[in-house]
Amino acid sequence: MTSAISVTDAAKIYGTGDAAVTALAGVTASFEQGKFTAIMGPSGSGKSTLLHCLAGLDSLDRGDVLLGDVELGALSDKDLTLVRREKIGFIFQAFNLIPTLTAKENILLPLSIAGHTADPDWYDEVVHAVGLEDRLGHRPSELSGGEQQRVAAARALVSRPDIVFADEPSGNLDSKSGAELLAFMRTAVDDFGQTIVMVTHDAFAASHADRVIFLDDGQIIAELMDPTSEQILDKMKQLGD
Amino acid sequence: MLKVAWSSIRANKVRLLLTSFAIVIGVSFVAGSFVFTDTISTRFDRLFSDISAGVDVYVQPVQPDFGTDFGPIQLSMPESVFDDVMAVDGVADAEAGVGGTAQLVGKDGEVVGGFGPPTLGFSWSEDPDMTPLRIAPENGRPPQAAGEIAIDVATARDKDYQLGDMVGVITTGPVEEFTLVGIANFGDEDNVAGATLVIFEFEEAQRMFGLEGRISQISVAADPGVTSEDLAGRIGAVVPDGVEAITAAQSTADQTAELQEGLSFLTIGLLVFAIIAVFVGSFVIYNTFRIIVAQRTRELALLRAIGATGGQVTRMVVLEALIIAFVSSLIGILGGIVLSQLLAAALSAGGLGFPDGPLTLLPRTVIVGILVGVVVTVVASVLPARRAARIPPVAAMRADLSATPRKDLRTRAIVGVIVVGFGGSLVLVGLFTSISNGLVLLGVGAGLAFLGVSILAPLAARPFALFVGWPIRKAFTVAGDLAVQNTRRQPRRTASTASALMIGVALVVFVAIFGASIKVSIGNTVGEIFPADISASSTNFTSGVSPQFTDELRMLPEIEQVTTLNSPQVRFQELQMDATGSAIEPATSEGMIFTGATPEAITKLAATDGLLVLEEIEGTDLLLGETYTIEFPNGVTGPVEVVGVFTDGNFGDFIITRDRYATGVEVLTDQLVLANASQGVSVDEAAAAADALTADYPNVQVQTKSELVADAESQIDGLLAIFTGLLALAIIIAILGITNTLALSIIERTREIGLLRAIGMSRRQLRRMVRWESVIIAVFGAMLGMVTGAVLGWIVVLALRDEGLGDFAIPVGQLITLILVAGIAGVVAAIYPAWKASRLNILDAIAYE
């Protein structure tokens, strides 16, 4: 098993003194290449902080993130930008798209920022997979929430990143749109060999993953492999007690 | 509500700073112009009272109530008046004085002074109570005989004159040499208002000013127990016609009032620029508040949801504006004080000294300053505030606020066209009315036209951004593309930001076009109406060319024909009409001065010593064949018959002969002397020969025709430079407006920028995006301004065709420079917002609230 990204003894504290909040208290984990991993936990468990640190959006107070053979902590802002541009894709919960650009322009945005051109076959394949062939000329305000998130997913995949990070990607969607998006993410892993790390608190979303990590108080407290929704809910109940 | 407004202000210091800058500048100009004139008036008022400290009454020739009192009109009265005054009961002492224009010749042979501070000469007063002049023991003694002079301390110091030096002095004739025997202080000052003072012995002064047997003024001291008013009355009863007695207090008041009038062009100029600054500033304020309201939609909706009425929300926004306005008006008043000091310093550096003294800040200045700031800000914020009131409470719950309802474009187009049309008509009405507020109409019309264009601007913003953006998108794919899209996103915001710049640029373009047209016209006109080869004129306003010089010029073999031109001001008594015209020498004017009069008319003018009338006013004001009584400023009157017409308005309303003009002045000098080179002599040779004569007349300058034209043009260039410099301020305000809008847009787009950064956009690319956005807005504003200014300039130039301004010229080079400058200004305006955007914390930006 090769790990796409790994984190060792990650610690992060926000604020100082009485106001100090420990977001991460020594997390060590590694995320397998070509697998779909979900990170779960209640609010304030540190799951979003972990995602941000893994993605090079935030820095750790202690510990290392190793993306492939690159240590993120050692990089300058400029190099981190390049890493995000070349190796990482993002799907956020909302506000994923630039409102002035069409769906197609949004999908191709990371490539144009990097000054690359898209591989047309791959682009067609991704667009086909998210089912957006007819909507490419529309702007975000003319797309439904589900369509917007699928555009974001296509954008995350089109530059063939080493790893895609998703932060509650289905959080703002109705259940049907959410299911479609998650199904597409599953397909990306199964058919294209994409590595995905997703933060969620929704058991149904997490059930699409190969592996679920449970976080609480900044520490990993449990793990499930190939789970079903029921197993996840049980585990959550169990941990909640 | 006050609390909410206040906390909102405190939370946005930079926004506050940028918004208030516009108000600060406007108020500074208003307050500065007041403080400047008040301070100068107070100080001179004190100086004038100091001068007349020991004097109770002045006896002087009656000042003309028409015409200007500079130039060759040197009023005087017979010496016998002095005896009349001395005989009056209650006169303790009296002293006669003679004065006029006297210029010193520097050691380099150049005359001292010219266009600028006065160059005064007068007789020494024996009685120290009657004069502020003091000569300290170490500074020599007063002039006591012919051939001796004293001068003021400042001039002696500046021009390096020592006691015993031989100094050249010019009054009405050729330069004469004098021995410097004394250096005088003016009260405690070294100098007064930058004037150079030359003091002669009494009879020498009479000779130098051509006033033998005559005097200019009598200073009178009253016996104890006799009031000034009383004494002035008693003296007034005995002096001959044309002479008046006024109290020293009255004289001081008159002089101060005259000074204020002299400075009024500065005051008015400053106020005009204040209005422009405030007008441009109001766009910036309006825009800022619109964006603020848009950004706070959710917050304002929440206020509505928890029970605030629409009125309360409006009042809160206006209150916020009020607080900003009040604070910045106060800063503006301080700025005005600084500005007035700078202005005084600049004028001093230019040679115009002002007496020392405290600064005068009247309550009126503070009140007007605050009123201007507050009214403008509140007016500019009312529309955005009303928008705020219309935000429905449910907006607090909506996540997506980006989509604003599209207003009807057709309504906008119609309203815009109507406002532009109305403004344009006002401009035309203003141009064609002879009424005194024509200029005000013109200004209001131009203001309305600007407003109309800014209403129309959003219609042009989107296509324009595409057009200008095309090369930018090609060159800077992503950053350029996003920049273009951003300016297209909210065309109204883009347009109103650009509109502020549009006004400044339009005014600069207007001034440039107007100036270029005047230059071409003047160049053509001067060449046409003065076909003579060379000209001679005085290097100052007051002295004119000595007739002795003209006589010597006639004698030169290189010179063939010589004629003169003067501009008399007269009153037509029957019509109670004051008018300015020309005085020519009919015998020699042919081929030298072209007035459009027929040779027959000129012959008749010479034969009858009559008057030619401007064709345009013949029949309406003056009738051909009619005889009128004309009065000169010195009180001389005489009948004159209208014997013909002329056509060129550059010569004023009428033409009379130089002989008749000579009766209206005490000492005859000429304003312009024209001459032709003799057959076979080149113009340059003739000019060189004439120039050699000026060794004795250093205040005369000889110019060839082309030099005369170039001189006229360069004077216009100087004026244009000053106007453009002041208008640059309006452009700076507009650029700060762009900075403000961009900075606010960046806050609004925090999330978007965070996303761009997250998916790999570098800080550099982000900065580039903001920069191009700014450049597009700036160039849009500049181009709008250029078109508006050009159209305005075209209308005005066309309308003034009859006034001798028919040549419409577009200074292409200047316009291209202007666009480039606008682009660079856009880059500068983007520095802060771009930096801010690139420093945004990605996590804060993308965090879901």
Side-chain angles (χ1 to χ4, degrees), chain B residues 526-534 559-564 585 588-595 651 672-677 705:
Chain B
V526 169
E528 273 166 28
I529 65 176
F530 300 133
D533 291 337
I534 61 172
I559 298 294
E560 191 170 58
Q561 189 185 358
V562 176
T563 196
T564 61
E585 295 181 77
T588 52
S589 67
E590 197 197 335
M592 313 276 273
I593 296 174
F594 185 77
T595 62
F651 291 91
L672 188 65
V673 177
L674 296 161
N676 267 347
K705 194 162 105 183

PDB file of all heavy atoms in Angstrom, chain B residues 526-534 559-564 585 588-595 651 672-677 705:
ATOM      1  N   VAL B 526      -3.724  87.727 -33.959  1.00  0.00           N
ATOM      2  CA  VAL B 526      -2.649  88.695 -33.764  1.00  0.00           C
ATOM      3  C   VAL B 526      -1.959  88.967 -35.096  1.00  0.00           C
ATOM      4  O   VAL B 526      -1.680  90.105 -35.449  1.00  0.00           O
ATOM      5  CB  VAL B 526      -1.650  88.199 -32.697  1.00  0.00           C
ATOM      6  CG1 VAL B 526      -0.402  89.072 -32.681  1.00  0.00           C
ATOM      7  CG2 VAL B 526      -2.297  88.203 -31.332  1.00  0.00           C
ATOM      8  N   GLY B 527      -1.728  87.885 -35.840  1.00  0.00           N
ATOM      9  CA  GLY B 527      -1.090  88.054 -37.141  1.00  0.00           C
ATOM     10  C   GLY B 527      -1.945  88.871 -38.097  1.00  0.00           C
ATOM     11  O   GLY B 527      -1.442  89.678 -38.871  1.00  0.00           O
ATOM     12  N   GLU B 528      -3.272  88.670 -38.006  1.00  0.00           N
ATOM     13  CA  GLU B 528      -4.168  89.343 -38.957  1.00  0.00           C
ATOM     14  C   GLU B 528      -4.390  90.804 -38.624  1.00  0.00           C
ATOM     15  O   GLU B 528      -4.385  91.658 -39.512  1.00  0.00           O
ATOM     16  CB  GLU B 528      -5.533  88.642 -38.968  1.00  0.00           C
ATOM     17  CG  GLU B 528      -5.605  87.468 -39.925  1.00  0.00           C
ATOM     18  CD  GLU B 528      -6.833  86.618 -39.655  1.00  0.00           C
ATOM     19  OE1 GLU B 528      -7.843  87.167 -39.148  1.00  0.00           O
ATOM     20  OE2 GLU B 528      -6.783  85.418 -39.936  1.00  0.00           O
ATOM     21  N   ILE B 529      -4.607  91.101 -37.340  1.00  0.00           N
ATOM     22  CA  ILE B 529      -4.988  92.475 -37.037  1.00  0.00           C
ATOM     23  C   ILE B 529      -3.783  93.384 -36.857  1.00  0.00           C
ATOM     24  O   ILE B 529      -3.905  94.584 -36.900  1.00  0.00           O
ATOM     25  CB  ILE B 529      -5.940  92.567 -35.820  1.00  0.00           C
ATOM     26  CG1 ILE B 529      -5.253  92.122 -34.542  1.00  0.00           C
ATOM     27  CG2 ILE B 529      -7.202  91.770 -36.066  1.00  0.00           C
ATOM     28  CD1 ILE B 529      -6.144  92.297 -33.327  1.00  0.00           C
ATOM     29  N   PHE B 530      -2.603  92.799 -36.631  1.00  0.00           N
ATOM     30  CA  PHE B 530      -1.390  93.611 -36.567  1.00  0.00           C
ATOM     31  C   PHE B 530      -0.405  93.148 -37.638  1.00  0.00           C
ATOM     32  O   PHE B 530       0.550  92.450 -37.328  1.00  0.00           O
ATOM     33  CB  PHE B 530      -0.726  93.512 -35.186  1.00  0.00           C
ATOM     34  CG  PHE B 530      -1.605  93.971 -34.061  1.00  0.00           C
ATOM     35  CD1 PHE B 530      -1.741  93.222 -32.905  1.00  0.00           C
ATOM     36  CD2 PHE B 530      -2.303  95.174 -34.150  1.00  0.00           C
ATOM     37  CE1 PHE B 530      -2.552  93.649 -31.866  1.00  0.00           C
ATOM     38  CE2 PHE B 530      -3.113  95.605 -33.113  1.00  0.00           C
ATOM     39  CZ  PHE B 530      -3.247  94.831 -31.964  1.00  0.00           C
ATOM     40  N   PRO B 531      -0.633  93.529 -38.869  1.00  0.00           N
ATOM     41  CA  PRO B 531       0.263  93.043 -39.918  1.00  0.00           C
ATOM     42  C   PRO B 531       1.663  93.672 -39.849  1.00  0.00           C
ATOM     43  O   PRO B 531       2.522  93.319 -40.641  1.00  0.00           O
ATOM     44  CB  PRO B 531      -0.442  93.458 -41.220  1.00  0.00           C
ATOM     45  CG  PRO B 531      -1.780  93.986 -40.811  1.00  0.00           C
ATOM     46  CD  PRO B 531      -1.680  94.405 -39.397  1.00  0.00           C
ATOM     47  N   ALA B 532       1.909  94.589 -38.921  1.00  0.00           N
ATOM     48  CA  ALA B 532       3.201  95.276 -38.845  1.00  0.00           C
ATOM     49  C   ALA B 532       4.330  94.297 -38.559  1.00  0.00           C
ATOM     50  O   ALA B 532       4.114  93.256 -37.940  1.00  0.00           O
ATOM     51  CB  ALA B 532       3.160  96.349 -37.766  1.00  0.00           C
ATOM     52  N   ASP B 533       5.561  94.667 -38.986  1.00  0.00           N
ATOM     53  CA  ASP B 533       6.712  93.779 -38.840  1.00  0.00           C
ATOM     54  C   ASP B 533       7.132  93.621 -37.385  1.00  0.00           C
ATOM     55  O   ASP B 533       7.392  92.529 -36.910  1.00  0.00           O
ATOM     56  CB  ASP B 533       7.910  94.333 -39.633  1.00  0.00           C
ATOM     57  CG  ASP B 533       7.660  94.254 -41.134  1.00  0.00           C
ATOM     58  OD1 ASP B 533       6.833  93.415 -41.520  1.00  0.00           O
ATOM     59  OD2 ASP B 533       8.285  95.022 -41.875  1.00  0.00           O
ATOM     60  N   ILE B 534       7.249  94.749 -36.682  1.00  0.00           N
ATOM     61  CA  ILE B 534       7.708  94.658 -35.292  1.00  0.00           C
ATOM     62  C   ILE B 534       6.797  95.479 -34.384  1.00  0.00           C
ATOM     63  O   ILE B 534       6.046  96.351 -34.836  1.00  0.00           O
ATOM     64  CB  ILE B 534       9.178  95.145 -35.117  1.00  0.00           C
ATOM     65  CG1 ILE B 534       9.310  96.615 -35.516  1.00  0.00           C
ATOM     66  CG2 ILE B 534      10.132  94.299 -35.921  1.00  0.00           C
ATOM     67  CD1 ILE B 534      10.682  97.177 -35.185  1.00  0.00           C
ATOM     68  N   ILE B 559      13.694 101.828 -40.014  1.00  0.00           N
ATOM     69  CA  ILE B 559      12.257 101.810 -39.765  1.00  0.00           C
ATOM     70  C   ILE B 559      11.568 102.775 -40.720  1.00  0.00           C
ATOM     71  O   ILE B 559      12.019 103.906 -40.929  1.00  0.00           O
ATOM     72  CB  ILE B 559      11.961 102.233 -38.308  1.00  0.00           C
ATOM     73  CG1 ILE B 559      12.602 101.252 -37.328  1.00  0.00           C
ATOM     74  CG2 ILE B 559      10.459 102.345 -38.065  1.00  0.00           C
ATOM     75  CD1 ILE B 559      12.022  99.865 -37.355  1.00  0.00           C
ATOM     76  N   GLU B 560      10.443 102.298 -41.281  1.00  0.00           N
ATOM     77  CA  GLU B 560       9.790 103.089 -42.306  1.00  0.00           C
ATOM     78  C   GLU B 560       8.542 103.790 -41.793  1.00  0.00           C
ATOM     79  O   GLU B 560       8.332 104.967 -42.008  1.00  0.00           O
ATOM     80  CB  GLU B 560       9.421 102.170 -43.456  1.00  0.00           C
ATOM     81  CG  GLU B 560       8.964 102.872 -44.703  1.00  0.00           C
ATOM     82  CD  GLU B 560       8.874 101.884 -45.838  1.00  0.00           C
ATOM     83  OE1 GLU B 560       8.127 100.891 -45.686  1.00  0.00           O
ATOM     84  OE2 GLU B 560       9.567 102.075 -46.840  1.00  0.00           O
ATOM     85  N   GLN B 561       7.720 103.011 -41.081  1.00  0.00           N
ATOM     86  CA  GLN B 561       6.418 103.536 -40.684  1.00  0.00           C
ATOM     87  C   GLN B 561       6.176 103.165 -39.232  1.00  0.00           C
ATOM     88  O   GLN B 561       6.438 102.029 -38.836  1.00  0.00           O
ATOM     89  CB  GLN B 561       5.338 102.913 -41.580  1.00  0.00           C
ATOM     90  CG  GLN B 561       3.968 103.527 -41.419  1.00  0.00           C
ATOM     91  CD  GLN B 561       2.932 102.784 -42.256  1.00  0.00           C
ATOM     92  OE1 GLN B 561       3.276 101.829 -42.980  1.00  0.00           O
ATOM     93  NE2 GLN B 561       1.694 103.185 -42.168  1.00  0.00           N
ATOM     94  N   VAL B 562       5.696 104.097 -38.438  1.00  0.00           N
ATOM     95  CA  VAL B 562       5.455 103.837 -37.015  1.00  0.00           C
ATOM     96  C   VAL B 562       4.054 104.314 -36.661  1.00  0.00           C
ATOM     97  O   VAL B 562       3.625 105.390 -37.091  1.00  0.00           O
ATOM     98  CB  VAL B 562       6.494 104.562 -36.125  1.00  0.00           C
ATOM     99  CG1 VAL B 562       6.165 104.371 -34.651  1.00  0.00           C
ATOM    100  CG2 VAL B 562       7.897 104.080 -36.428  1.00  0.00           C
ATOM    101  N   THR B 563       3.355 103.499 -35.908  1.00  0.00           N
ATOM    102  CA  THR B 563       2.025 103.933 -35.430  1.00  0.00           C
ATOM    103  C   THR B 563       1.799 103.393 -34.030  1.00  0.00           C
ATOM    104  O   THR B 563       2.554 102.527 -33.556  1.00  0.00           O
ATOM    105  CB  THR B 563       0.919 103.475 -36.397  1.00  0.00           C
ATOM    106  OG1 THR B 563      -0.264 104.223 -36.118  1.00  0.00           O
ATOM    107  CG2 THR B 563       0.622 101.995 -36.250  1.00  0.00           C
ATOM    108  N   THR B 564       0.780 103.902 -33.331  1.00  0.00           N
ATOM    109  CA  THR B 564       0.551 103.484 -31.944  1.00  0.00           C
ATOM    110  C   THR B 564      -0.881 102.994 -31.765  1.00  0.00           C
ATOM    111  O   THR B 564      -1.765 103.295 -32.572  1.00  0.00           O
ATOM    112  CB  THR B 564       0.758 104.654 -30.965  1.00  0.00           C
ATOM    113  OG1 THR B 564      -0.196 105.667 -31.290  1.00  0.00           O
ATOM    114  CG2 THR B 564       2.162 105.204 -31.043  1.00  0.00           C
ATOM    115  N   GLU B 585      -3.643 106.180 -34.562  1.00  0.00           N
ATOM    116  CA  GLU B 585      -3.197 107.349 -35.311  1.00  0.00           C
ATOM    117  C   GLU B 585      -3.601 107.121 -36.761  1.00  0.00           C
ATOM    118  O   GLU B 585      -2.958 106.357 -37.465  1.00  0.00           O
ATOM    119  CB  GLU B 585      -1.673 107.502 -35.206  1.00  0.00           C
ATOM    120  CG  GLU B 585      -1.200 107.794 -33.785  1.00  0.00           C
ATOM    121  CD  GLU B 585       0.306 107.965 -33.720  1.00  0.00           C
ATOM    122  OE1 GLU B 585       0.797 109.026 -34.118  1.00  0.00           O
ATOM    123  OE2 GLU B 585       0.982 107.022 -33.285  1.00  0.00           O
ATOM    124  N   THR B 588      -1.051 107.110 -39.798  1.00  0.00           N
ATOM    125  CA  THR B 588      -0.010 106.098 -39.971  1.00  0.00           C
ATOM    126  C   THR B 588      -0.497 104.673 -39.799  1.00  0.00           C
ATOM    127  O   THR B 588       0.285 103.729 -39.890  1.00  0.00           O
ATOM    128  CB  THR B 588       1.121 106.347 -38.952  1.00  0.00           C
ATOM    129  OG1 THR B 588       0.528 106.451 -37.655  1.00  0.00           O
ATOM    130  CG2 THR B 588       1.896 107.610 -39.273  1.00  0.00           C
ATOM    131  N   SER B 589      -1.789 104.491 -39.520  1.00  0.00           N
ATOM    132  CA  SER B 589      -2.236 103.147 -39.143  1.00  0.00           C
ATOM    133  C   SER B 589      -2.421 102.218 -40.340  1.00  0.00           C
ATOM    134  O   SER B 589      -2.482 101.000 -40.167  1.00  0.00           O
ATOM    135  CB  SER B 589      -3.545 103.236 -38.351  1.00  0.00           C
ATOM    136  OG  SER B 589      -4.562 103.708 -39.210  1.00  0.00           O
ATOM    137  N   GLU B 590      -2.483 102.766 -41.545  1.00  0.00           N
ATOM    138  CA  GLU B 590      -2.780 101.924 -42.700  1.00  0.00           C
ATOM    139  C   GLU B 590      -1.708 100.847 -42.890  1.00  0.00           C
ATOM    140  O   GLU B 590      -0.513 101.130 -42.848  1.00  0.00           O
ATOM    141  CB  GLU B 590      -2.884 102.783 -43.967  1.00  0.00           C
ATOM    142  CG  GLU B 590      -3.597 102.040 -45.086  1.00  0.00           C
ATOM    143  CD  GLU B 590      -3.348 102.676 -46.451  1.00  0.00           C
ATOM    144  OE1 GLU B 590      -3.051 103.879 -46.501  1.00  0.00           O
ATOM    145  OE2 GLU B 590      -3.432 101.929 -47.432  1.00  0.00           O
ATOM    146  N   GLY B 591      -2.167  99.619 -43.066  1.00  0.00           N
ATOM    147  CA  GLY B 591      -1.229  98.526 -43.281  1.00  0.00           C
ATOM    148  C   GLY B 591      -0.560  98.028 -42.010  1.00  0.00           C
ATOM    149  O   GLY B 591       0.228  97.106 -42.044  1.00  0.00           O
ATOM    150  N   MET B 592      -0.836  98.662 -40.878  1.00  0.00           N
ATOM    151  CA  MET B 592      -0.209  98.247 -39.613  1.00  0.00           C
ATOM    152  C   MET B 592      -1.255  97.677 -38.657  1.00  0.00           C
ATOM    153  O   MET B 592      -0.971  96.781 -37.882  1.00  0.00           O
ATOM    154  CB  MET B 592       0.437  99.469 -38.930  1.00  0.00           C
ATOM    155  CG  MET B 592       1.273 100.325 -39.830  1.00  0.00           C
ATOM    156  SD  MET B 592       2.921  99.660 -39.971  1.00  0.00           S
ATOM    157  CE  MET B 592       3.665 100.442 -38.581  1.00  0.00           C
ATOM    158  N   ILE B 593      -2.428  98.279 -38.691  1.00  0.00           N
ATOM    159  CA  ILE B 593      -3.509  97.857 -37.803  1.00  0.00           C
ATOM    160  C   ILE B 593      -4.720  97.598 -38.676  1.00  0.00           C
ATOM    161  O   ILE B 593      -5.123  98.479 -39.451  1.00  0.00           O
ATOM    162  CB  ILE B 593      -3.843  98.953 -36.772  1.00  0.00           C
ATOM    163  CG1 ILE B 593      -2.645  99.191 -35.853  1.00  0.00           C
ATOM    164  CG2 ILE B 593      -5.068  98.581 -35.955  1.00  0.00           C
ATOM    165  CD1 ILE B 593      -2.838 100.352 -34.905  1.00  0.00           C
ATOM    166  N   PHE B 594      -5.286  96.406 -38.581  1.00  0.00           N
ATOM    167  CA  PHE B 594      -6.435  96.091 -39.413  1.00  0.00           C
ATOM    168  C   PHE B 594      -7.692  95.966 -38.561  1.00  0.00           C
ATOM    169  O   PHE B 594      -7.893  95.002 -37.848  1.00  0.00           O
ATOM    170  CB  PHE B 594      -6.188  94.791 -40.179  1.00  0.00           C
ATOM    171  CG  PHE B 594      -7.283  94.485 -41.138  1.00  0.00           C
ATOM    172  CD1 PHE B 594      -7.369  95.173 -42.346  1.00  0.00           C
ATOM    173  CD2 PHE B 594      -8.249  93.529 -40.841  1.00  0.00           C
ATOM    174  CE1 PHE B 594      -8.399  94.907 -43.229  1.00  0.00           C
ATOM    175  CE2 PHE B 594      -9.277  93.261 -41.717  1.00  0.00           C
ATOM    176  CZ  PHE B 594      -9.356  93.945 -42.919  1.00  0.00           C
ATOM    177  N   THR B 595      -8.553  97.009 -38.646  1.00  0.00           N
ATOM    178  CA  THR B 595      -9.754  97.027 -37.814  1.00  0.00           C
ATOM    179  C   THR B 595     -10.991  96.659 -38.610  1.00  0.00           C
ATOM    180  O   THR B 595     -12.062  96.485 -38.044  1.00  0.00           O
ATOM    181  CB  THR B 595     -10.002  98.430 -37.239  1.00  0.00           C
ATOM    182  OG1 THR B 595     -10.221  99.329 -38.349  1.00  0.00           O
ATOM    183  CG2 THR B 595      -8.814  98.917 -36.441  1.00  0.00           C
ATOM    184  N   PHE B 651     -10.999  95.186 -31.195  1.00  0.00           N
ATOM    185  CA  PHE B 651     -10.634  96.570 -30.898  1.00  0.00           C
ATOM    186  C   PHE B 651     -11.631  97.237 -29.963  1.00  0.00           C
ATOM    187  O   PHE B 651     -11.546  98.436 -29.733  1.00  0.00           O
ATOM    188  CB  PHE B 651     -10.491  97.369 -32.204  1.00  0.00           C
ATOM    189  CG  PHE B 651      -9.282  96.937 -32.999  1.00  0.00           C
ATOM    190  CD1 PHE B 651      -9.379  95.943 -33.958  1.00  0.00           C
ATOM    191  CD2 PHE B 651      -8.035  97.500 -32.743  1.00  0.00           C
ATOM    192  CE1 PHE B 651      -8.262  95.528 -34.657  1.00  0.00           C
ATOM    193  CE2 PHE B 651      -6.921  97.079 -33.446  1.00  0.00           C
ATOM    194  CZ  PHE B 651      -7.028  96.090 -34.409  1.00  0.00           C
ATOM    195  N   LEU B 672       0.924 100.105 -27.180  1.00  0.00           N
ATOM    196  CA  LEU B 672       1.551  99.284 -28.212  1.00  0.00           C
ATOM    197  C   LEU B 672       2.050 100.211 -29.312  1.00  0.00           C
ATOM    198  O   LEU B 672       1.317 101.077 -29.778  1.00  0.00           O
ATOM    199  CB  LEU B 672       0.525  98.292 -28.778  1.00  0.00           C
ATOM    200  CG  LEU B 672       1.060  97.241 -29.741  1.00  0.00           C
ATOM    201  CD1 LEU B 672       2.016  96.293 -29.043  1.00  0.00           C
ATOM    202  CD2 LEU B 672      -0.090  96.459 -30.358  1.00  0.00           C
ATOM    203  N   VAL B 673       3.322 100.022 -29.694  1.00  0.00           N
ATOM    204  CA  VAL B 673       3.890 100.773 -30.807  1.00  0.00           C
ATOM    205  C   VAL B 673       4.197  99.766 -31.907  1.00  0.00           C
ATOM    206  O   VAL B 673       4.804  98.722 -31.636  1.00  0.00           O
ATOM    207  CB  VAL B 673       5.178 101.512 -30.379  1.00  0.00           C
ATOM    208  CG1 VAL B 673       5.800 102.228 -31.578  1.00  0.00           C
ATOM    209  CG2 VAL B 673       4.874 102.495 -29.259  1.00  0.00           C
ATOM    210  N   LEU B 674       3.730 100.058 -33.135  1.00  0.00           N
ATOM    211  CA  LEU B 674       3.949  99.132 -34.242  1.00  0.00           C
ATOM    212  C   LEU B 674       4.810  99.814 -35.301  1.00  0.00           C
ATOM    213  O   LEU B 674       4.689 101.025 -35.528  1.00  0.00           O
ATOM    214  CB  LEU B 674       2.608  98.728 -34.864  1.00  0.00           C
ATOM    215  CG  LEU B 674       1.691  97.942 -33.926  1.00  0.00           C
ATOM    216  CD1 LEU B 674       0.265  97.994 -34.410  1.00  0.00           C
ATOM    217  CD2 LEU B 674       2.158  96.500 -33.796  1.00  0.00           C
ATOM    218  N   ALA B 675       5.678  99.037 -35.939  1.00  0.00           N
ATOM    219  CA  ALA B 675       6.559  99.647 -36.938  1.00  0.00           C
ATOM    220  C   ALA B 675       6.827  98.670 -38.067  1.00  0.00           C
ATOM    221  O   ALA B 675       6.800  97.444 -37.867  1.00  0.00           O
ATOM    222  CB  ALA B 675       7.867 100.069 -36.283  1.00  0.00           C
ATOM    223  N   ASN B 676       7.079  99.205 -39.259  1.00  0.00           N
ATOM    224  CA  ASN B 676       7.469  98.374 -40.395  1.00  0.00           C
ATOM    225  C   ASN B 676       8.935  98.609 -40.724  1.00  0.00           C
ATOM    226  O   ASN B 676       9.442  99.721 -40.576  1.00  0.00           O
ATOM    227  CB  ASN B 676       6.635  98.730 -41.629  1.00  0.00           C
ATOM    228  CG  ASN B 676       5.407  97.846 -41.730  1.00  0.00           C
ATOM    229  OD1 ASN B 676       5.304  96.835 -41.037  1.00  0.00           O
ATOM    230  ND2 ASN B 676       4.487  98.231 -42.593  1.00  0.00           N
ATOM    231  N   ALA B 677       9.595  97.555 -41.193  1.00  0.00           N
ATOM    232  CA  ALA B 677      10.984  97.697 -41.629  1.00  0.00           C
ATOM    233  C   ALA B 677      11.012  98.462 -42.948  1.00  0.00           C
ATOM    234  O   ALA B 677      10.088  98.355 -43.759  1.00  0.00           O
ATOM    235  CB  ALA B 677      11.614  96.326 -41.800  1.00  0.00           C
ATOM    236  N   LYS B 705       6.852  90.169 -35.347  1.00  0.00           N
ATOM    237  CA  LYS B 705       5.479  89.668 -35.412  1.00  0.00           C
ATOM    238  C   LYS B 705       5.382  88.250 -34.869  1.00  0.00           C
ATOM    239  O   LYS B 705       4.492  87.934 -34.084  1.00  0.00           O
ATOM    240  CB  LYS B 705       4.999  89.721 -36.871  1.00  0.00           C
ATOM    241  CG  LYS B 705       3.505  89.547 -37.003  1.00  0.00           C
ATOM    242  CD  LYS B 705       3.049  90.026 -38.356  1.00  0.00           C
ATOM    243  CE  LYS B 705       2.739  88.863 -39.252  1.00  0.00           C
ATOM    244  NZ  LYS B 705       2.351  89.307 -40.598  1.00  0.00           N
TER     245      LYS B 705
END
